[in-house]
Amino acid sequence: MTGRLSIIGLGPGSEAMITPQARDEVARAAHIFGYFPYVERLSPRPDQTVHGSDNREELDRARAALDLAARGEDVAMVSGGDPGVFAMAAAICETIDDGPDAYRAVELVVTPGVTAMLAVAAAAGAPLGHDFCAINLSDNLKPFAIIERRVAACAETGMAMAFYNPISRSRPWQLDAAFDTARLYLPKATPVIFGRAAGRPEQQIRTVPLSMAKGEMADMATCVIVGSVTTRIVERPGREPLIYTPRFWNADTGQAEPEAAQ
Amino acid sequence: MTGRLSIIGLGPGSEAMITPQARDEVARAAHIFGYFPYVERLSPRPDQTVHGSDNREELDRARAALDLAARGEDVAMVSGGDPGVFAMAAAICETIDDGPDAYRAVELVVTPGVTAMLAVAAAAGAPLGHDFCAINLSDNLKPFAIIERRVAACAETGMAMAFYNPISRSRPWQLDAAFDTARLYLPKATPVIFGRAAGRPEQQIRTVPLSMAKGEMADMATCVIVGSVTTRIVERPGREPLIYTPRFWNADTGQAEPEAAQ
């Protein structure tokens, strides 16, 4: 008998941002796997077994969950944000791809969630209102050179960028290097948003011009949004400014060529 | 007295994907604005006034909502998916930016939602598991040349792409042109996912190789995901294949150079 593995996005961290579907999927599982801080958000029933693990153990966690599901169990794997964006869905697909036939027989369900960049963007205004990309700044699984090529390509063609996993103790310089690359293509005043705990009571949203952006302004739990050449700031008396990227692209004012970087 | 304008993401269309926060925001409004199919998803109370409008009237809708909020009303603007991704949040920010001071005084709240590409990706596996971008294929507000530069830049640097608004009666050829551009940089077998009504009972997910992808496979309500050079298909006996993009980038196998397009 084959079981079921449900990969669930819990959203950015606030209870109010967990979809009913995600909640139902957690409720039906007998076993719940996930990185410690994500499983700690849940209130499991006594009949549910929680398997928390460290964030560097993604493939072990995927195998353990697939093994149980292949033996007929109803298993949940929880991620923060959306499970398909730099989270467990790809790790589980890789594990199935490389694994025994029994893994392919498991019923696999992925439940989407609100990913961090959407929560940070909402807190700031609409910085992702035009074409944009999402780049994982961790070079644990890819060379930093390809990250820099992507940052350059997006900045040059006028796309805003959301940086996930911008910095960690073992990756202290990558975010500064990404800002340096962006500075080759974007004006000094381009807004950079550092969003931490978006949507939660402890939310911190800080916006600085690209010329002032520094890696030390982020930590592991920060999602960084770098505007495009067209991203604007609307000052509002007595309120936080709005940061947004217009829907339109004017070939006159919106040229994202290096010469715009004055 | 200044009112409040709440811009709300209702998610991809299923009730089960609306966050509690979005539901609460709809409940507290006296006036609800939105494109007809979105406001029709709601069950307004008798004391709530619903202002549905056509999808080509975004700026009129934004102004009408801001005018009411500036007069002290509690106003909601609903979008499908996430309001910050090719939806009303940027249109409202533009209107505030260009509008009277009274618009700047309005309390503005943006509530994120599950955007279409995340629901389509979840239904297919994890095609957005590596760096990716989101591109609005409509050339109503930007020249098609910049869209093609972005498609080329993303395909060439190994990012998967989600195409929003891929086609309409007045924009019949743009999606085919985008596929043609992608074909210059990506292998013929690159998976292309056409996702319609993801997460709803009428969900349709169709995957074809890039060489076979045609604009006519999409309609206005489709979100199209084009894989990167590393995107893989896992065949599963008796189940739909999984489409995923590995988290890692191997400089040997994952070179997204034009010469890979064999």
Side-chain angles (χ1 to χ4, degrees), chain A residues 58 97 150 232 244 247, chain B residues 58 97 157 232 244 247:
Chain A
E58 288 173 344
D97 201 1
R150 291 171 185 167
R232 293 177 56 82
Y244 81 99
R247 298 164 304 153
Chain B
E58 288 174 346
D97 202 2
T157 59
R232 294 177 56 82
Y244 81 98
R247 298 164 305 153

Side-chain angles (χ1 to χ4, degrees), chain B residues 16-162:
Chain B
M17 285 197 212
I18 303 181
T19 67
Q21 189 175 48
R23 217 171 261 296
D24 290 348
E25 286 288 335
V26 171
R28 71 174 278 179
H31 294 269
I32 304 172
F33 285 81
Y35 175 38
F36 287 118
Y38 303 142
V39 297
E40 279 159 14
R41 281 199 220 157
L42 306 171
S43 310
R45 297 185 309 267
D47 63 312
Q48 293 181 304
T49 308
V50 174
H51 309 255
S53 51
D54 197 74
N55 64 346
R56 281 157 302 185
E57 296 167 4
E58 288 174 346
L59 291 180
D60 288 344
R61 187 192 302 147
R63 272 188 294 266
L66 281 162
D67 284 340
L68 269 179
R71 291 210 299 270
E73 297 283 346
D74 216 332
V75 181
M77 173 70 73
V78 295
S79 282
D82 178 87
V85 177
F86 313 130
M88 285 305 295
I92 287 170
C93 289
E94 288 166 28
T95 307
I96 295 172
D97 202 2
D98 296 337
D101 287 349
Y103 287 180
R104 287 178 169 71
V106 167
E107 182 187 352
L108 194 76
V109 177
V110 185
T111 297
V114 174
T115 184
M117 66 181 166
L118 303 182
V120 172
L128 304 180
H130 193 85
D131 301 340
F132 65 93
C133 62
I135 300 179
N136 186 342
L137 282 200
S138 168
D139 56 355
N140 289 340
L141 298 173
K142 60 191 174 194
F144 196 71
I146 190 68
I147 297 175
E148 295 205 292
R149 280 188 61 197
R150 291 170 185 168
V151 170
C154 292
E156 191 179 5
T157 59
M159 294 193 274
M161 294 178 270

Side-chain angles (χ1 to χ4, degrees), chain A residues 137 166-167 172-181 183 213-216:
Chain A
L137 282 201
I167 201 161
W173 55 264
Q174 285 81 345
L175 179 56
D176 277 312
F179 287 146
D180 283 343
T181 300
R183 281 190 270 260
K214 287 199 173 71
E216 68 193 37

